Amino acid sequence: MIQDFFFAFLWSISPFGEAKVGIPFGMWKGLNIYMVFLICFGANVLVFPIMSFFLESVNKYLLRWNFYKKAALYVARKAKTGSGDKIKKYGFWGLIFFVMIPLPGTGVYAGSIASYLFKIEKQKAFIANTVGIFFSSVIVWVMTLFAMKGMA
């Protein structure tokens, strides 16, 4: 049981799923639905400070290597393309909306990169990402509850 909570946490902090995968994983494993929400939401919130540190510190050193630079530019272009119009037009609210959509390519990883690229003040970006993560987590949580009720 603790192991399942740990894996739900890992999915939620991972760029391969975030809470969009962690929440359904934990619920399908039969864990307490409220604890799953709290753990997965909390793990997903941790991504922003980790990404901020990475982008402001580690990224500068890694850009020296050509293979990393190419990959970073590709990711930056994808983040700008996917979020650019919304964030340019609506700023803080656009970032919330972009992060809250529970689809692949949206979420706190892309939101953190977009915040960095568009030079959004760190505290505002953290709040926007956290609010977006909250609504995304609620959407996924409710959809998973309905899916599980339909299968029962």
Side-chain angles (χ1 to χ4, degrees):
M1 184 151 114
I2 297 291
Q3 180 179 341
D4 291 333
F5 275 115
F6 180 69
F7 282 121
F9 175 89
L10 289 178
W11 272 118
S12 298
I13 205 164
S14 159
F16 302 108
E18 300 187 22
K20 297 173 240 180
V21 173
I23 289 171
F25 172 83
M27 291 172 70
W28 290 68
K29 285 291 190 171
L31 302 174
N32 179 288
I33 61 173
Y34 304 107
M35 286 298 295
V36 165
F37 180 87
L38 290 174
I39 287 170
C40 294
F41 169 70
N44 217 178
V45 168
L46 290 175
V47 170
F48 182 82
I50 293 167
M51 283 296 292
S52 291
F53 172 76
F54 177 83
L55 291 168
E56 293 169 4
S57 305
V58 180
N59 188 48
K60 293 175 186 173
Y61 295 105
L62 293 177
L63 285 172
R64 296 176 189 165
W65 289 290
N66 203 29
F67 70 92
Y68 176 81
K69 190 174 189 173
K70 284 181 181 180
L73 288 172
Y74 173 78
V75 170
R77 274 191 218 104
K78 293 284 277 181
K80 270 191 167 182
T81 304
S83 66
D85 293 343
K86 292 171 201 73
I87 295 174
K88 277 184 190 175
K89 187 172 181 179
Y90 301 108
F92 176 83
W93 298 105
L95 182 57
I96 289 174
F97 183 73
F98 176 72
V99 173
M100 77 176 248
I101 301 169
L103 294 172
T106 65
V108 71
Y109 279 94
S112 298
I113 293 168
S115 301
Y116 176 78
L117 294 174
F118 290 109
K119 298 182 182 353
I120 297 173
E121 180 189 330
K122 195 187 256 186
Q123 187 175 3
K124 279 187 176 180
F126 177 73
I127 292 168
N129 274 279
T130 301
V131 171
I133 294 163
F134 177 78
F135 285 115
S136 176
S137 296
V138 168
I139 292 166
V140 169
W141 188 68
V142 169
M143 289 173 57
T144 305
L145 281 172
F146 279 124
M148 291 174 69
K149 296 267 190 230
M151 295 177 92

